Amino acid sequence: MRFPLALTAKIARHIIKHKVRRTPKFALVLQLEPLHTCNLTCTGCGRIREYSTSLKDMMSLEDCLASAAECDAPMVSICGGEPLIYPKIEELVAGILEQGRIVYICTNGMFMRKKMRDYLAGIYGAALEPKLAKLLEDKLITAKEADEIRKGKKDNRPTIAPSKWQYWNVHIDGLEYTHDLIVEREGVFKECVEAIKMAKLLGYQVATNTTVYKETEVKELEQMFEFFSSMEVDGHTISPGYEYDAAKKDMVKRLHKQPEDFFLTRKMTRAKFAKIQEWGERFTIFGTPVYQEFLAGKRELTCTAWAIPTRNIKGWKAPCYLMTDGHYGHYHEMLEKVQWDKYGVVDGVARDPRCENCMVHCGYDPSGALGTNYQSGDTWKNIKYNFGAKPKPYVAGKTVNAFNGVSIGKGHLAEAKAAINSPRAAMNGAQAAFSRREEPHDHANEGGNCGTGDTTQRDELLAKIAPKKNS
């Protein structure tokens, strides 16, 4: 099977139950944001900026669990912000699993290894030594970290343990150069890869989550899938980058960029995703084949954002994960009060101008599962895709040149770093390139050119360059 039987059956039973009851609107996935604090400032993400006045606020554990129970979605995607910063993330994951739901932890990967070391400390015994030896051999933990694991856990808090009901969902927007550029910090891609290796070695289920932007190279996406398939990642989520208001404002104010140079139009999305069905055959792409047809421009779908609601520190966010017209105290209150027929695109016409270029998964992926815009054969397509054979790992993906950035001295900060101690001409060239917010040409060819984000690191380096240039 492409997906685990238990998970597929749980979601199918949920849909059938509500179809039999003729429930007009119901949740399939809850996107739970217990906090909006994050350790990265990814280009294209407006979350931190949209909720800038409440970054220190967090949902209580009780509110999080009550929200999951209230909307009764079979799957909960814990996102944010960076959810592993949430002080009670372990209790939250344990509580949702106890409710009998599937859990996705949507993370940038930077704290994954720490959480997995906590898990190892919690189960440590002599029988774990061969596993520690393997982790040490693969340099996924240090000798000091191994010693800490051997000391055992010092409290009674739960840990995030491997489970067939849980996935790490790791943010990956390309290969090393591209991904580090998007997240605006060098070394993040490498840490994600190490975390995924460790997770697979320990028996966790792991998925990747990718957003595609205007400058994303299709070839690089294929190479990314090949590389992570060779690592036996369990699945992939992929969605087009959409110019929602908070992200556009951040793009202009913080990065001094024009949103149209970064985000996709509907026409661009269809061009980028022309091969999505082919990828779905080669790799375990999460999402229905009906949604894949929609992305490829082969059919239209009607937005069903109510099926993937978002709950955050301000309440139930409406109308969707990306657009904010209000927050509501309860899920059913949101269902009743929001005028859903004011949103989405119908017959090629946007009901709301903000929806014109949106084709993202949180609005349209559930449409494929729920039979919206049903066409003959759709049910069989979904059954065949979900219950069909899982694509085999792409062994040749190990040869992909994934570490094409900072690992080989060609990260997006390389020019500035070199300029600090380089001759005046090189410094002038680096200064000019960065002042225009352009990437060195050979770097773009090496690793793809997926977006251009300014970073704090760059600013710090340029501050060091300036005195040398003027001396």
Side-chain angles (χ1 to χ4, degrees):
M1 287 186 61
R2 183 179 292 265
F3 306 112
L5 177 60
L7 276 65
T8 302
K10 177 180 284 291
I11 295 170
R13 283 196 302 268
H14 183 78
I15 294 174
I16 292 170
K17 177 183 72 175
H18 284 285
K19 289 288 187 181
V20 170
R21 294 177 179 176
R22 299 184 181 276
T23 309
K25 293 179 176 64
F26 55 92
L28 288 180
V29 181
L30 166 61
Q31 296 196 132
L32 181 63
E33 299 177 333
L35 80 175
H36 289 121
T37 305
C38 190
N39 57 311
L40 298 178
T41 56
C42 302
T43 305
C45 176
R47 260 312 179 265
I48 295 177
R49 269 64 67 178
E50 182 177 2
Y51 294 96
S52 60
T53 60
S54 55
L55 286 180
K56 294 182 180 180
D57 297 336
M58 299 182 189
M59 290 178 64
S60 69
L61 176 63
E62 292 73 22
D63 279 349
C64 288
L65 295 175
S67 297
E70 179 183 353
C71 76
D72 197 32
M75 181 183 297
V76 177
S77 175
I78 307 176
C79 37
E82 169 51 49
L84 295 187
I85 295 176
Y86 185 60
K88 293 190 176 182
I89 184 63
E90 291 87 355
E91 288 85 353
L92 177 56
V93 171
I96 294 173
L97 290 173
E98 286 174 7
Q99 291 181 354
R101 308 183 199 284
I102 303 161
V103 178
Y104 271 63
I105 305 173
C106 296
T107 176
N108 58 41
M110 298 299 286
F111 303 111
M112 272 178 65
R113 285 202 282 175
K114 180 183 185 302
K115 296 300 183 183
M116 289 186 283
R117 292 196 302 271
D118 289 344
Y119 157 68
L120 291 173
I123 63 166
Y124 180 74
L128 194 61
E129 282 300 328
K131 190 75 71 176
L132 291 185
K134 178 61 176 172
L135 291 170
L136 285 165
E137 178 187 347
D138 292 349
K139 299 182 180 180
L140 298 175
I141 61 174
T142 65
K144 182 178 179 180
E145 289 167 346
D147 288 340
E148 287 299 313
I149 290 169
R150 292 186 182 103
K151 292 177 183 178
K153 205 162 178 299
K154 299 176 181 178
D155 57 46
N156 294 321
R157 292 185 62 202
T159 60
I160 300 175
S163 167
K164 69 177 182 179
W165 299 104
Q166 175 199 306
Y167 283 82
W168 292 113
N169 193 19
V170 187
H171 172 210
I172 300 287
D173 276 350
L175 301 178
E176 183 179 48
Y177 181 89
T178 297
H179 182 72
D180 285 357
L181 185 62
I182 289 291
V183 302
E184 302 183 12
R185 185 180 300 178
E186 290 183 340
V188 175
F189 179 84
K190 183 177 181 180
E191 178 58 33
C192 286
V193 171
E194 299 298 283
I196 290 172
K197 286 180 180 178
M198 184 171 176
K200 293 304 300 177
L201 183 60
L202 296 180
Y204 290 88
Q205 295 187 109
V206 183
T208 64
N209 178 24
T210 301
T211 303
V212 178
Y213 298 102
K214 182 177 179 180
E215 295 184 6
T216 305
E217 295 290 343
V218 173
K219 180 62 177 176
E220 183 175 356
L221 289 174
E222 292 180 354
Q223 291 175 331
M224 179 192 71
F225 286 137
E226 290 171 353
F227 175 69
F228 286 103
S229 176
S230 73
M231 294 175 59
E232 301 188 33
V233 163
D234 297 281
H236 311 274
T237 300
I238 185 168
S239 186
Y242 165 60
E243 55 175 7
Y244 62 103
D245 288 346
K248 287 198 296 184
K249 291 175 182 176
D250 178 61
M251 185 72 58
V252 173
K253 184 176 180 179
R254 185 174 65 93
L255 303 179
H256 310 293
K257 292 287 185 181
Q258 294 305 310
E260 58 267 27
D261 295 334
F262 190 76
F263 296 105
L264 295 172
T265 63
R266 195 162 271 239
K267 182 178 180 181
M268 291 175 187
T269 293
R270 288 166 173 160
K272 295 288 186 185
F273 285 83
K275 300 176 72 175
I276 183 68
Q277 291 170 282
E278 178 186 321
W279 295 339
E281 293 299 319
R282 295 180 60 199
F283 314 107
T284 305
I285 305 292
F286 290 161
T288 66
V290 173
Y291 178 55
Q292 292 176 12
E293 290 179 358
F294 170 67
L295 288 173
K298 296 182 178 180
R299 68 185 298 164
E300 292 296 335
L301 289 176
T302 301
C303 178
T304 53
W306 42 264
I308 304 186
T310 298
R311 174 67 163 92
N312 63 31
I313 55 177
K314 292 191 174 182
W316 293 90
K317 185 177 184 292
C320 66
Y321 180 68
L322 299 175
M323 287 167 49
T324 308
D325 285 349
H327 294 86
Y328 295 82
H330 298 281
Y331 174 59
H332 291 287
E333 179 189 4
M334 180 185 73
L335 288 184
E336 294 169 3
K337 291 187 175 180
V338 174
Q339 294 180 269
W340 298 102
D341 58 2
K342 290 173 53 180
Y343 303 100
V345 176
V346 178
D347 297 327
V349 179
R351 291 164 163 174
D352 186 304
R354 296 171 297 174
C355 301
E356 183 175 0
N357 291 313
C358 178
M359 298 178 75
V360 300
H361 69 285
C362 61
Y364 292 96
D365 195 14
S367 305
L370 295 171
T372 306
N373 309 100
Y374 180 81
Q375 295 180 6
S376 178
D378 282 353
T379 301
W380 170 242
K381 285 178 192 174
N382 287 341
I383 292 173
K384 182 181 178 182
Y385 190 77
N386 284 293
F387 288 89
K390 184 176 182 177
K392 295 180 179 179
Y394 187 74
V395 179
K398 294 178 181 178
T399 65
V400 169
N401 181 28
F403 296 96
N404 58 1
V406 65
S407 294
I408 58 172
K410 292 188 177 181
H412 58 275
L413 300 179
E415 192 104 351
K417 289 176 180 177
I420 292 175
N421 296 309
S422 67
R424 184 184 301 270
M427 285 192 289
N428 290 344
Q431 176 70 42
F434 280 107
S435 65
R436 295 191 304 270
R437 295 297 192 270
E438 294 176 358
E439 297 307 319
H441 182 70
D442 60 331
H443 294 182
N445 290 336
E446 285 280 345
N449 187 16
C450 180
T452 51
D454 193 8
T455 68
T456 300
Q457 287 178 302
R458 285 183 183 176
D459 294 339
E460 291 174 350
L461 285 167
L462 287 174
K464 293 177 182 178
I465 291 172
K468 288 180 176 287
K469 178 182 176 183
N470 297 325
S471 60

